[in-house]
Amino acid sequence: MAADAAFDFVGIGLILSCALAIVMGVMATGYRTQYLSAMEERANTRGLIENLSEGVYRSSLDGRQISANRALVRLNGYDSEEEMLACVNDIGREWYVDPRRRDEIRALLERDGRVENIVSEIYRHKTRERIWISESSRLVRHKQTGRPLYYEGSVREISETVARLKLEETFRKLTSHLPGALFQFQTRENGRQVAVEYVSIGYYGIVEISQEEGLSGDFLLSKLVHPDDITGYMEGFRQAVEGGTLLDHEFRIVTPRGNEKWLRMTAQRETSPDGEGGTWYGYISDISLRKRQALEIEKLAYFDPLTGLPNRRMFVDRMTETIHQCERSETKGVLLFVDLDNFKSLNDTQGHDVGDAYLVDVARRLKACVRPNDIVARMGGDEFVIVLETTSTEEAVASALAIATGSRIMSSLREPFRQGELRHNSSASIGMLVFDGKASTPDELLKRADIAMYRAKASGRDAMALFQAEWLDGEAERFLLLAELRKALAEGTLSLRYQPQMDRHQRVVGAEGLLRWHHPVLGAIAPDRFIPLAEQSGMIHSICRLVLGQAVRQLADWSTDPSTAGLRLSVNVSVQSFANGPIVDHLIELIETYGIDPALLTLEITEHVTAGDKVEIGRRMGRLKALGVRFALDDFGTGYSSLSRLKGLPFDELKIDGSFVADIDKSEEDQALVRTILAIAGTLDLKVVAEHVETKAQQDFLLSAGCHRFQGYFYAPAITAAEFERFARENGAERSLHAAAPARLTA
């Protein structure tokens, strides 16, 4: 029994030992599995950190780098972690542009335990390039003792973001001082704005709303467009979209405060991805002041300042419309040319004030004799024209209307003109013309009506005459003149004369070369007689070549004499020849041949230059401008309405038309017009030359108004080259315009 008990005890011990061994084995296997799993998790974490796009680091408390992932290594310009750790010794001193930045961050970490998105400027450690970063980090402490162990955190580069923010701040500062406003808004296909994405601060001043109101989002520009301009506004968008061109449109708005303004919008469109609208980027400017000035000058340029009637330019426009209307409706029109009898006698004996009062009274009487829709215009002096529209296709009916209206006018004008004790028996000679839509030009119709008027005047005055076709036999003179002109060109009998141009100190600064033709039999023939013939016959190109050739040779001659070297010379160039002929190439060849300074040559062109291909004309002007040749806008003031169309053409100066200078010493309207022209010229940085200055009073007014250059009979007529050179030598020294007048030549 005892032996069996001992055996049982031993057996139980063996069993327990085996069980213990089994348990220990199982536990060891579990620990190994956990260890391997932990190692795998650690490797995964390390791999994750290594492949992050942000830099991850661990650093010691004294500023040494302990570890860094691949992103941080690349950010600092190194190829490996080992290389970077070997090179970085003191993060605060070597890494931050401002070494104190490290201490600031450490203070925050000790206080709060962590920092997030701290922005700092640092060096890319290896290359010393300065960059911007955003950094988040924490202070790691011992879990049991709380003792600080190390820092760890993440870094990402934000250099591009900082640069963009700086640019945006600079952009805001710049745009806050713009006179206009930049914008970006979206539209749908109908041109209606649907969302405003950006406007600069100047926008709020233009449309007169506060920035708070603007932030409400309900400030779409299209809501402010003037009702009369909304159709054109939408049409501008449509044309820009269909043509793929830049939007450049002027329109009115009515601000929330009730003020009307003129705006100019220039914008480029970027099509939306869905193709149903677009985003427009552009600029808005307030052009109200310029528009008011333009309208004022347009009124002065299109209406006679004395009588308030349309002037010649307005008449030509209206007459052109009437011709087209007759063509469309196949009806007749009537033109009456009214010339006052004995007006010169009244004006000379009673004075200009009485003469002007009489002209105003005549204008009133003429308007009372016609229908409201008929045109009454003053052509200048004592000449008036009237255009009557009819609904008749019969010439006889139109002729009867012309005679009836003419009789009514003659009866009205026979009533004596009274002013104070003055009683003037007035009358007029009237030329009448019936025309249709086949008429050529207003000027041609005027010529025929003028012929009829002279027939009436030749019959004894106070009479009417209806134009007859056979009266055109006088055109034979025209063909004779053309033949003689061809001969003159062939023989070289056309030549330049030189009218001095003076500066503010009465020094000769140059001359205008004026073409003159002295025929051995017909005598002196004025340019206004033969230049139109040359343009009609095609000889104008030859005349322009002749003028430019003489001008360039004259400049070459002047350059050899110290008393004339440096003087400028301006010559007129036909718009027709400049736009269509080989004049540019010819002039360039002349300049190269004679070796003149191109900056001393000025080409004068009238505003009719805009009637042709503006792009081609601008290109031709640009070729000569590149050499230094200057351009002047001639006869400025008579056609200001086209000034907006001259935008982009490189003019250097403008010449005030002589018709505005003639009465400038006594006409407030002409004075206002000239002041406005000079103000605009100053704004556009253009020099100004006043033509046809004939009196000291005219000169003094122009001087006080700020004019730069002067020419006219007050100084000298157009003279020969030798006479001009002598005049230039005698008037080359500086002197004041308020001092004694220069030595002058008379015609």
Side-chain angles (χ1 to χ4, degrees):
M1 288 291 291
D4 291 339
F7 176 80
D8 290 341
F9 180 75
V10 172
I12 291 171
L14 289 172
I15 293 171
L16 290 173
S17 297
C18 291
L20 180 60
I22 292 171
V23 171
M24 292 297 291
V26 170
M27 291 178 64
T29 301
Y31 285 132
R32 176 177 176 80
T33 300
Q34 291 179 2
Y35 172 75
L36 293 174
S37 177
M39 292 297 292
E40 182 179 1
E41 181 67 24
R42 183 177 180 183
N44 289 339
T45 301
R46 179 67 180 178
L48 175 63
I49 292 173
E50 279 296 302
N51 289 285
L52 287 174
S53 60
E54 291 190 0
V56 178
Y57 68 88
R58 179 173 292 174
S59 64
S60 65
L61 299 177
D62 59 2
R64 290 180 298 104
Q65 201 79 40
I66 298 174
S67 65
N69 72 342
R70 188 181 295 112
L72 188 62
V73 170
R74 288 196 301 266
L75 183 144
N76 281 281
Y78 292 101
D79 297 323
S80 66
E81 182 184 22
E82 292 76 13
E83 181 187 8
M84 175 178 165
L85 296 182
C87 294
V88 178
N89 299 310
D90 187 337
I91 296 174
R93 182 172 54 83
E94 301 172 6
W95 207 40
Y96 293 94
V97 172
D98 182 357
R100 296 172 298 179
R101 187 62 169 162
R102 173 70 174 173
D103 295 333
E104 293 173 359
I105 295 175
R106 288 181 62 181
L108 291 173
L109 289 169
E110 291 174 2
R111 187 191 72 185
D112 303 329
R114 66 175 56 246
V115 293
E116 293 184 0
N117 300 320
I118 294 292
V119 175
S120 304
E121 187 178 17
I122 69 165
Y123 294 107
R124 202 182 299 279
H125 194 272
K126 185 175 182 178
T127 64
R128 308 312 291 166
E129 175 190 356
R130 292 166 71 146
I131 62 175
W132 288 88
I133 62 165
S134 175
E135 179 180 3
S136 298
S137 60
R138 69 181 185 125
L139 172 62
V140 179
R141 298 178 181 273
H142 192 281
K143 292 183 179 179
Q144 295 175 345
T145 66
R147 180 173 59 87
L149 299 176
Y150 51 82
Y151 303 108
E152 62 182 14
S154 62
V155 174
R156 59 187 175 90
E157 183 178 353
I158 59 169
S159 299
E160 290 185 2
T161 301
V162 171
R164 177 176 56 79
L165 292 173
K166 287 183 177 180
L167 285 175
E168 289 178 356
E169 178 63 22
T170 301
F171 179 74
R172 280 193 293 270
K173 289 179 179 179
L174 290 174
T175 57
S176 66
H177 297 290
L178 284 175
L182 299 171
F183 67 83
Q184 175 180 323
F185 61 75
Q186 292 182 352
T187 63
R188 308 314 293 173
E189 284 303 326
N190 60 6
R192 294 283 181 180
Q193 295 175 2
V194 294
V196 176
E197 297 175 337
Y198 170 80
V199 291
S200 61
I201 193 170
Y203 179 87
Y204 304 106
I206 290 175
V207 302
E208 297 181 348
I209 63 173
S210 65
Q211 294 190 48
E212 291 74 18
E213 291 172 311
L215 293 174
S216 69
D218 189 24
F219 62 105
L220 301 180
L221 187 63
S222 57
K223 294 184 177 181
L224 305 179
V225 178
H226 193 284
D228 293 342
D229 292 355
I230 191 66
T231 300
Y233 178 80
M234 296 303 175
E235 180 65 13
F237 279 96
R238 186 191 66 78
Q239 291 181 2
V241 171
E242 293 182 356
T245 58
L246 181 75
L247 172 68
D248 190 344
H249 187 63
E250 296 181 358
F251 58 95
R252 289 170 295 172
I253 65 168
V254 179
T255 70
R257 298 182 183 178
N259 296 321
E260 183 177 298
K261 292 186 175 184
W262 275 96
L263 303 185
R264 179 184 178 190
M265 175 189 292
T266 55
Q268 187 69 49
R269 179 178 183 266
E270 183 179 284
T271 305
S272 298
D274 59 11
E276 295 183 359
T279 300
W280 293 84
Y281 309 86
Y283 182 73
I284 298 172
S285 56
D286 185 344
I287 59 171
S288 301
L289 177 60
R290 176 171 69 81
K291 276 292 185 179
R292 284 195 296 269
Q293 291 176 335
L295 291 173
E296 179 182 353
I297 292 183
E298 181 177 354
K299 180 179 179 182
L300 292 172
Y302 268 90
F303 291 88
D304 174 46
L306 176 63
T307 64
L309 296 177
N311 62 11
R312 182 185 183 93
R313 185 165 295 277
M314 173 69 86
F315 161 76
V316 170
D317 288 350
R318 296 285 299 275
M319 188 66 182
T320 301
E321 294 174 5
T322 303
I323 293 172
H324 292 161
Q325 175 60 32
C326 290
E327 182 179 18
R328 289 190 297 268
S329 60
E330 298 183 348
T331 56
K332 304 292 183 180
V334 172
L335 175 61
L336 305 180
F337 196 113
V338 180
D339 183 87
L340 303 178
D341 297 331
N342 302 316
F343 173 74
K344 186 176 186 302
S345 175
L346 172 69
N347 209 40
D348 291 345
T349 58
Q350 302 299 324
H352 290 291
D353 290 343
V354 174
D356 288 349
Y358 175 53
L359 293 174
V360 171
D361 185 62
V362 168
R364 179 187 60 78
R365 298 190 197 191
L366 292 177
K367 291 178 66 176
C369 292
V370 299
R371 298 162 300 185
N373 292 335
D374 293 329
I375 304 169
V376 179
R378 183 188 176 201
M379 304 302 288
D382 59 349
E383 296 178 340
F384 296 82
V385 291
I386 298 171
V387 181
L388 310 175
E389 292 188 28
T390 76
T391 58
S392 175
T393 60
E394 300 295 330
E395 183 169 354
V397 175
S399 297
L401 175 63
I403 294 171
T405 306
S407 298
R408 193 160 52 249
I409 291 172
M410 291 181 65
S411 177
S412 175
L413 292 181
R414 287 183 186 124
E415 291 292 326
F417 167 68
R418 301 177 185 275
Q419 187 175 44
E421 298 181 357
L422 173 68
R423 183 179 187 275
H424 173 67
N425 294 318
S426 62
S427 64
S429 300
I430 303 176
M432 300 176 292
L433 171 71
V434 175
F435 62 90
D436 55 24
K438 298 178 182 178
S440 54
T441 64
D443 285 339
E444 183 63 26
L445 296 180
L446 271 176
K447 177 181 176 181
R448 297 182 181 186
D450 188 48
I451 291 173
M453 184 273 295
Y454 275 106
R455 290 277 176 155
K457 194 174 287 288
S459 69
R461 304 189 179 188
D462 192 17
M464 300 184 299
L466 186 63
F467 177 78
Q468 305 296 319
E470 56 266 24
W471 293 345
L472 288 175
D473 292 342
E475 286 292 291
E477 178 189 352
R478 175 177 176 270
F479 292 107
L480 173 62
L481 205 58
L482 276 174
E484 292 299 313
L485 182 58
R486 289 190 181 93
K487 183 178 178 182
L489 280 171
E491 297 176 350
T493 56
L494 297 173
S495 61
L496 290 180
R497 294 292 184 268
Y498 304 92
Q499 185 170 42
Q501 291 184 344
M502 316 295 287
D503 68 4
R504 295 173 62 85
H505 304 289
Q506 278 200 351
R507 295 172 299 187
V508 176
V509 293
E512 179 180 359
L514 299 170
L515 190 62
R516 293 293 182 261
W517 180 16
H518 188 82
H519 191 275
V521 177
L522 301 176
I525 302 176
D528 59 3
R529 287 187 64 192
F530 66 85
I531 291 298
L533 291 179
E535 290 180 334
Q536 294 166 14
S537 63
M539 284 190 286
I540 192 63
H541 302 311
S542 298
I543 289 180
C544 281
R545 289 171 65 93
L546 180 147
V547 168
L548 292 176
Q550 291 191 18
V552 170
R553 287 191 293 272
Q554 189 63 66
L555 281 173
D557 289 343
W558 287 349
S559 67
T560 62
D561 185 342
S563 66
T564 55
L567 291 179
R568 299 181 181 275
L569 179 59
S570 62
V571 290
N572 285 276
V573 177
S574 164
V575 172
Q576 176 184 332
S577 185
F578 187 81
N580 304 310
I583 292 301
V584 173
D585 291 332
H586 178 63
L587 179 56
I588 293 174
E589 182 180 349
L590 286 170
I591 291 172
E592 293 174 349
T593 300
Y594 288 92
I596 68 164
D597 180 359
L600 298 178
L601 179 63
T602 300
L603 301 185
E604 298 185 7
I605 307 177
T606 67
E607 89 281 358
H608 294 94
V609 70
T610 59
D613 184 346
K614 184 177 168 186
V615 174
E616 174 61 19
I617 291 171
R619 186 188 69 81
R620 292 177 176 230
M621 294 176 73
R623 288 183 62 195
L624 294 176
K625 284 288 291 183
L627 297 178
V629 175
R630 296 168 59 84
F631 286 90
L633 178 60
D634 198 15
D635 295 336
F636 184 79
T638 61
Y640 177 77
S641 62
S642 64
L643 182 60
S644 62
R645 301 199 301 272
L646 293 170
K647 182 172 51 181
L649 296 180
F651 284 103
D652 301 283
E653 64 184 47
L654 58 85
K655 304 192 75 174
I656 300 176
D657 184 66
S659 63
F660 298 114
V661 176
D663 296 326
I664 201 172
D665 53 339
K666 54 183 178 294
S667 169
E668 293 183 359
E669 291 81 4
D670 284 352
Q671 291 175 4
L673 177 61
V674 169
R675 284 195 184 98
T676 306
I677 291 174
L678 288 167
I680 292 177
T683 301
L684 299 177
D685 195 26
L686 296 174
K687 299 296 183 184
V688 179
V689 179
E691 296 184 293
H692 303 293
V693 178
E694 297 183 355
T695 68
K696 187 174 186 303
Q698 294 169 352
Q699 170 195 268
D700 291 345
F701 173 81
L702 290 165
L703 177 64
S704 66
C707 191
H708 306 95
R709 299 285 186 268
F710 312 84
Q711 78 180 75
Y713 272 76
F714 182 62
Y715 312 102
I719 52 183
T720 66
E723 291 171 327
F724 171 77
E725 290 162 11
R726 184 170 65 253
F727 184 83
R729 284 190 290 269
E730 293 172 353
N731 294 277
E734 181 174 345
R735 60 176 69 200
S736 170
L737 275 174
H738 297 292
R744 295 189 178 86
L745 296 176
T746 58

